[in-house]
Amino acid sequence: MTAVQKVDFKKPQWLRKRLVPTAQKEMEALLGEHGLHTICQEAKCPNISECYAKKNATFLILGNICTRRCTYCNVHTGKPTEVDLAEIDGVTTSVLKLGLKFVVITSPARDDLEDGGANQFYRVTKNIIEKSPGTQVEILIPDFKANEESLQKVVDSGAVIIGHNVETVPSLYHIRRNASYERSLYVLKRLKELGKDKIKTKSALMVGLGETEEEMVQVFKDLIEVGCKFLSIGQYLAPSGDYEKVVEFVKPEQFARYKQLALDLGFEFVHSTPYARSSYLAHEYLSNNKNI
């Protein structure tokens, strides 16, 4: 079982993060110039100030409205807007202005689109690489309902890492509306098969929702089985009282244990800390430094 501290309405010391409000305002002003969104803003990521201070951001394309209603996620749910082709150049312009060498692109689930938004991922990624050849791109995709053409499209985009998050253990999958654990594993498997040595695949898990260590280790094994070698593990924090409740605050020692267990099973890089998120310090994964 996990080593935990039961929730007592107070975050433990290791979950208290220093904010950098000035840097956050500056980055938000730049993004606002081009009408862009980041998942950092939409998901109320606790790392937002730190990342913005370092001029790191995960761009959210295809709008900020999701067609699914997962009970842990703060991204708005509703009827999405039409695909905005202007964001293709908008993202690239922001990348150039910031001088970014590593960029992460993600989107809400867009089940209203036949391709799930794969073509927009392709065009945004290609545009960045064409106009900023020194920049590497990671994309974090929804499951596209496992559509083969969509998966092939993002593999062909030029992204060096393609991520798809399993999010939690199978017994807790009721929190992921319209998703399935098996489909997410299949998506990761096909991405690796289609991309071969051209890409690395990546996934992420939240903890603190009531999962056990045994369940976590089984997920590690399942991910290795489908060729996924990059993993992020972080503490779930409810955006507000309207979302899934935090069952436990997992201690830093347990995060360290998860990291070692995952590395021992064959992962090439694992970022496992209370504040780790799928796109946090994303540029570090390609270094393959297992001690980070």
Side-chain angles (χ1 to χ4, degrees), residues 72-198:
Y72 60 88
C73 181
N74 191 62
V75 176
H76 299 297
T77 301
K79 184 179 180 181
T81 57
E82 292 185 7
V83 175
D84 181 10
L85 298 181
E87 71 185 2
I88 298 170
D89 282 327
V91 170
T92 300
T93 299
S94 295
V95 168
L96 290 168
K97 280 188 176 182
L98 290 168
L100 301 179
K101 297 302 180 185
F102 194 92
V103 181
V104 183
I105 309 293
T106 191
S107 82
R110 289 296 304 263
D111 295 329
D112 58 308
L113 301 174
E114 187 175 349
D115 69 347
N119 190 54
Q120 189 78 338
F121 271 100
Y122 177 87
R123 296 182 69 178
V124 169
T125 302
K126 281 290 188 186
N127 198 50
I128 292 170
I129 294 170
E130 178 185 338
K131 296 179 180 176
S132 182
T135 300
Q136 293 180 306
V137 181
E138 172 181 332
I139 56 178
L140 174 61
I141 64 169
D143 62 32
F144 296 147
K145 295 185 177 179
N147 180 282
E148 187 81 1
E149 291 182 5
S150 295
L151 298 177
Q152 183 68 66
K153 196 75 176 178
V154 293
V155 164
D156 292 340
S157 68
V160 290
I161 299 175
I162 302 182
H164 174 66
N165 295 341
V166 294
E167 303 288 11
T168 189
V169 299
S171 67
L172 296 174
Y173 247 62
H174 61 275
I175 72 173
R176 293 197 69 199
R177 302 291 171 82
N178 300 318
S180 84
Y181 181 71
E182 292 75 16
R183 183 164 66 195
S184 285
L185 286 178
Y186 176 79
V187 165
L188 287 163
K189 178 174 181 286
R190 287 302 291 146
L191 288 171
K192 191 60 186 172
E193 289 172 346
L194 294 169
K196 297 182 173 59
D197 295 330
K198 291 191 302 181

Side-chain angles (χ1 to χ4, degrees), residues 39 81 148 268 275 290:
I39 194 62
T81 57
E148 187 81 1
E268 294 177 3
Y275 272 119
K290 297 182 181 182

Side-chain angles (χ1 to χ4, degrees), residues 32-86:
E33 286 179 23
H34 303 286
L36 298 174
H37 303 279
T38 66
I39 194 62
C40 324
Q41 298 162 306
E42 300 301 324
K44 293 186 177 179
C45 179
N47 301 314
I48 189 168
S49 292
E50 178 187 353
C51 289
Y52 280 9
K54 296 176 180 177
K55 294 295 190 291
N56 293 335
T58 297
F59 293 97
L60 187 70
I61 63 172
L62 293 163
N64 62 342
I65 300 176
C66 186
T67 54
R68 301 184 186 182
R69 192 184 295 275
C70 297
T71 57
Y72 60 88
C73 181
N74 191 62
V75 176
H76 299 297
T77 301
K79 184 179 180 181
T81 57
E82 292 185 7
V83 175
D84 181 10
L85 298 181

Side-chain angles (χ1 to χ4, degrees), residues 271-284:
H271 195 51
S272 179
T273 66
Y275 272 119
R277 298 296 184 267
S278 56
S279 301
Y280 181 56
L281 301 177
H283 64 283
E284 293 186 349

